[in-house]
Amino acid sequence: MANTGPRRSGALEEDLRRDVGGEVRFDSYSRALYSTDASIYQMEPIGVVIPRNADDIAATVDICARAGVPVLPRGGGTSLSGQTVNHAVVMDFTKYMNAVVETNVEENWVMVQPGITLEKLNRYLRPHGLHFPPDPTTANRATVGGAIGNNSCGAHSI
């Protein structure tokens, strides 16, 4: 069991603030905001990190691994089965890591950051005759990272 009591949480927060360039939130309001998703489940996280880049992700994972604390990546929180809540350090990619990185229309692929919504990605792909297939009703909030991590589907996913 990870040592996540008040003293350890304070040290964890300090380590994250020192090495992460994005936002580090351990306040009760932020933890409450991230304690729910679209499901019936509720579990307060240890803290929240909103990474600005891949270096922030690597630092968060490294610090949490050394502390024995789980990390939970999160997108739009549209899960219906509680996949985006846990007693962990939640990483939310939607604020800063939500862009198209590279596109190769000739080979029919696109590289994106995990926080881009399905709707934004498909709006970008449409003029190229491409489409990312998961089609949940929450496409304007659901992210590519979450869709891949949770095996999203929808009426047109096949």
Side-chain angles (χ1 to χ4, degrees), residues 22-39 41-51 72-79 82-97 143:
E23 299 174 34
V24 176
R25 300 176 179 179
F26 276 64
D27 60 284
S28 59
Y29 180 72
S30 294
R31 289 192 327 270
L33 284 175
Y34 286 89
S35 69
T36 62
D37 59 8
S39 73
Y41 301 101
Q42 182 172 8
M43 188 176 291
E44 188 172 282
I46 296 165
V48 178
V49 171
I50 304 174
L72 177 68
R74 177 179 172 134
T78 59
S79 163
Q83 295 102 312
T84 65
V85 296
N86 201 345
H87 190 66
V89 170
V90 171
M91 284 194 297
D92 179 351
F93 300 106
T94 59
K95 187 170 183 180
Y96 300 115
M97 298 190 70
T143 63

